Every structure is written in structure tokens, then in C-alpha cells.
């Protein structure tokens, strides 16, 4: 790049530490990273992209923020992680070429913005899908392990200082684990379960082989297959097509005593049907990091169910997440500048 060539103007539209802004510039010098930390709400913890909800900009600060966002060729993050703000800036800025959402499931926010087809075709949207694969796969293994070793029974006996007769735990090398969705997260799950000796099956739409997967299962065979597996690991995004995919039909067909864990989106699992399956023992244990409505309602029976482990959508959280996403942004910026396809592009028909 010569000194006269124009840099790609990338505006940081969510809180991002200064050292990570500099990292993007170092990784891809053709990008000019525009940021104003004074206009951002303070983060309350790692990867808190929306920041403190009590933070309010003054009218002049909001004007400065909007003007900065509207000057972008590309955006790091949906402004304030707000679909309405995304819709506003896409309409106001005809130069905008690409928006990277900081969420793996950022397609839902793009859908919520209500953009028209011209806008969806003009701007490329990408997500951080895959960045969270390792941590979520670890939680999936933890969840299935907790079910296989009957963690609720162990904790109950410990709580009452009961030393029962010895009882048999399940072993991974005797289990078949079905990974529902073999995208970035699902592939990481498959690799770990395979390494632990499990037989791994996985649902697929493409039919492409995945390392560690012993059997590829067309999604339309899901009902038939669940009768033969010991654990179900859900990794799918939340779309109209996946809504309640794991529902009454699946739970009626499962192998009695199956374990389920969800590290995808809460809407994929019908929680009412799940509760019924837990109550009658068709599902022996459920480890859930995501829910249909979040935060999980205090009145939800899932909180107190003895065979449910509730995780507050925190399994992917890592102090390294922000750096991984910044590196992903720099990689995709280079692809954009070089005319190469971007990774983790949102499907603007199904929005995943």
C-alpha cells in the first residue's frame, strides 16, 4: 500500500479496549480504526459489548457517536448492540460495506433491524461464529459428563452425608453422542467427544465429512436416530427453521435415560416438552447454557428441577474472547480488501 492509497475506515461501534484497537491496526495496516472511548458505555466484565445499561449519552455525545458511526466503511459491532441503531446507520450511510457482529448469533440482530432487500444485499454482515467453539464444546462435554456420572445423585447424597451402595456410572467409551449441528461449535464438540472415546454422530445438511464424526445424519432422520443415542448435544442457531426442532416428537422418540445439553440457542429446544421428558425419565439430565427467554424467569420449574443444570448463558465467556473477535475482524478486513470471501457471513434469508 502506498502512502496515497485510502485506508478502510473501520468504526468501533461498541466498547473495545485501546490495546485491541491497536492490535487490529497492527494485524491489518490498511485499516484505519476510528474509536472514541469517551462515547462508549463502560464494560461490566469480559465481552460486555452493550456495556453498562445505566450509562446514558448526553444529546451532544449521541450526535457525535452517530456521526462517527455514519462515517464508516465498515463497523466493528452493531452500534450499542441495538437493532434499531443498526437500521438507522444502514439507512444513513450508503457507503457502509460490512458490519461484523460481536455475537456468534448476530443474525438475529440483523433480522430484528428490519432491513429491506436492497440494504441486505448492499451490506455484508458477519458474526463471531466459531470464536466461541472451544469454550462451548468444553461445557457440552461437562454437561454430558455430569449426566453420565449422575452429578445430581452425588450432590444429593453428599448433602445428606449418605454413603449408598455402589452404583454404576456411564462411560464415554460406551456412549453414542449425537451432535445436532456440525458448524463451528458442533465440530469442536465432535472432536472432543471423539477424543474421549465416544461414538459420535452428527446431523448435517451439506453431507460434508467432519473430523471425529463416525456417522453423518441427515436432519430429516433426526426423529429416527435419537432412539439410538445416549446423549444429544444441541449447537444450532436460533432461526425460524430451528425453532423447537428439539420438541415433543424428539422427546417421545428418545432412548430412555438420554442426556441433553444445549450450547446453541434456547429457542431450538421446546422447554415445555423438555420438562415433560425430564419428569418421566425419558431425559435423565439436561445441562442448559441457553434458554427460550433470558434471563430465565424466576418462576421457571427448570430452576428447581433435580436433573437440570442451569448455566446463565455464560459458558462461552472468556477473558480472551475480545481478542479473538478483534483478530477475526482483522482477518476479515484483509479478506474484504483483497476481494476474498468473508468468513461467518450471515445468511440474510434464514438469518444465521
Amino acid at each position: 500500500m502506498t502512502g496515497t492509497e485510502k485506508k478502510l475506515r473501520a468504526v468501533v461501534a461498541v466498547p473495545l479496549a485501546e490495546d485491541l484497537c491497536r492490535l487490529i491496526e497492527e494485524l491489518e495496516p490498511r485499516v484505519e480504526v476510528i474509536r472514541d472511548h469517551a462515547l462508549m458505555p463502560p464494560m461490566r466484565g469480559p465481552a460486555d459489548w452493550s456495556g453498562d445499561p445505566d450509562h446514558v449519552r448526553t444529546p451532544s455525545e449521541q450526535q457525535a457517536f452517530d456521526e462517527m458511526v455514519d462515517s464508516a466503511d465498515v463497523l466493528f459491532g452493531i452500534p450499542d448492540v441495538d437493532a434499531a441503531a443498526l437500521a438507522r446507520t444502514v439507512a444513513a450511510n450508503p457507503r457502509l460495506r460490512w458490519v461484523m457482529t460481536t455475537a456468534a448469533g448476530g443474525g438475529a440482530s440483523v433480522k430484528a433491524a428490519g432491513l429491506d432487500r436492497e440494504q441486505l444485499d448492499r451490506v455484508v454482515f458477519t458474526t463471531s461464529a466459531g470464536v466461541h467453539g472451544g469454550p462451548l464444546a468444553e461445557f457440552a462435554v461437562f454437561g454430558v459428563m455430569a449426566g453420565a456420572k449422575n452429578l445430581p445423585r452425588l450432590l444429593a447424597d453428599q448433602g445428606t452425608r449418605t454413603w449408598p451402595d455402589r452404583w454404576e456410572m456411564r462411560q464415554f467409551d460406551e456412549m453414542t453422542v449425537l451432535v445436532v449441528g456440525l458448524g463451528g461449535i458442533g465440530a469442536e464438540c465432535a472432536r472432543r467427544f471423539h477424543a474421549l472415546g465416544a461414538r459420535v454422530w452428527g446431523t448435517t445438511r451439506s453431507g460434508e465429512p467432519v473430523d471425529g464424526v463416525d456417522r453423518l445424519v441427515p436432519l430429516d432422520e433426526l426423529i429416527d436416530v435419537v432412539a439410538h443415542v445416549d446423549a444429544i448435544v444441541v449447537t444450532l442457531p436460533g432461526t425460524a427453521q430451528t425453532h423447537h426442532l428439539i420438541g415433543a416428537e424428539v422427546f417421545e422418540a428418545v432412548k430412555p435415560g438420554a442426556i441433553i445439553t444445549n450450547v446453541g440457542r434456547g429457542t431450538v429446544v421446546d422447554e415445555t416438552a423438555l420438562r415433560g421428558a425430564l419428569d418421566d425419565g425419558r431425559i435423565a439430565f439436561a445441562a442448559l447454557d441457553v434458554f427460550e427467554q433470558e434471563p430465565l424467569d424466576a418462576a421457571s420449574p427448570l430452576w428447581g428441577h433435580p436433573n437440570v443444570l442451569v448455566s446463565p448463558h455464560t459458558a462461552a465467556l472468556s477473558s480472551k474472547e475480545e481478542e479473538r473477535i478483534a483478530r477475526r475482524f482483522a482477518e476479515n478486513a484483509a479478506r474484504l480488501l483483497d476481494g476474498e470471501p468473508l468468513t461467518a457471513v450471515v445468511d440474510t434469508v434464514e438469518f444465521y
Side-chain angles (χ1 to χ4, degrees), residues 168-342:
E168 186 177 354
M169 295 180 178
R170 285 188 261 186
Q171 316 301 318
F172 266 38
D173 62 3
E174 299 171 358
M175 296 177 67
T176 298
V177 177
L178 174 67
V179 179
V180 183
L182 288 173
I185 298 169
E188 289 293 328
C189 289
R191 187 165 66 85
R192 284 164 171 77
F193 282 108
H194 175 79
L196 289 166
R199 180 185 299 107
V200 181
W201 296 356
T203 65
T204 178
R205 293 197 300 180
S206 68
E208 293 293 323
V210 175
D211 288 346
V213 178
D214 301 292
R215 176 182 172 184
L216 294 172
V217 178
L219 199 54
D220 58 10
E221 295 180 14
L222 178 65
I223 302 298
D224 297 325
V225 165
V226 293
H228 305 285
V229 303
D230 302 288
I232 300 168
V233 176
V234 181
T235 72
L236 291 173
T239 69
Q241 288 69 32
T242 64
H243 182 78
H244 285 186
L245 177 69
I246 310 299
E249 282 189 275
V250 168
F251 291 124
E252 287 168 7
V254 293
K255 182 179 182 179
I259 300 162
I260 187 169
T261 183
N262 189 2
V263 292
R265 280 295 178 264
T267 54
V268 180
V269 176
D270 181 339
E271 290 175 6
T272 300
L274 171 60
R275 290 197 302 269
L278 284 160
D279 289 342
D280 66 20
R282 284 171 290 157
I283 296 295
F285 184 76
L288 308 172
D289 185 52
V290 289
F291 299 87
E292 292 193 66
Q293 292 187 349
E294 296 180 0
L296 181 62
D297 193 303
S300 171
L302 292 174
W303 281 111
H305 200 289
N307 293 319
V308 174
L309 179 66
V310 172
S311 169
H313 203 149
T314 197
L317 194 61
S318 164
S319 60
K320 298 293 288 183
E321 178 179 343
E322 296 162 31
E323 180 182 338
R324 293 190 190 107
I325 292 175
R327 289 182 179 277
R328 165 70 64 82
F329 183 82
E331 291 166 5
N332 259 344
R335 287 176 171 272
L336 183 70
L337 287 162
D338 294 336
E340 298 177 0
L342 304 190

Side-chain angles (χ1 to χ4, degrees), residues 101-170:
T101 75
T102 49
S109 295
V110 177
K111 181 179 181 180
L115 305 176
D116 62 32
R117 179 43 54 187
E118 181 278 327
Q119 292 170 325
L120 291 170
D121 290 342
R122 171 168 58 89
V123 182
V124 177
F125 299 92
T126 65
T127 74
S128 63
V131 167
H132 312 88
L136 290 176
E138 288 187 9
F139 181 86
V141 170
F142 167 69
V144 174
M145 186 76 77
K149 305 308 179 185
N150 205 337
L151 179 62
R153 181 174 179 176
L154 291 170
L155 291 174
D157 285 345
Q158 182 175 343
T160 58
R161 303 193 178 200
T162 299
W163 187 277
D165 292 335
R166 296 175 69 197
W167 47 274
E168 186 177 354
M169 295 180 178
R170 285 188 261 186

Side-chain angles (χ1 to χ4, degrees), residues 15-16 40-55 80-81 295 317 322:
L16 184 68
M40 297 298 170
M43 282 180 153
R44 295 160 294 175
D48 181 25
W49 302 111
S50 54
D52 186 347
D54 293 331
H55 179 270
D80 293 331
V81 197
L317 194 61
E322 296 162 31

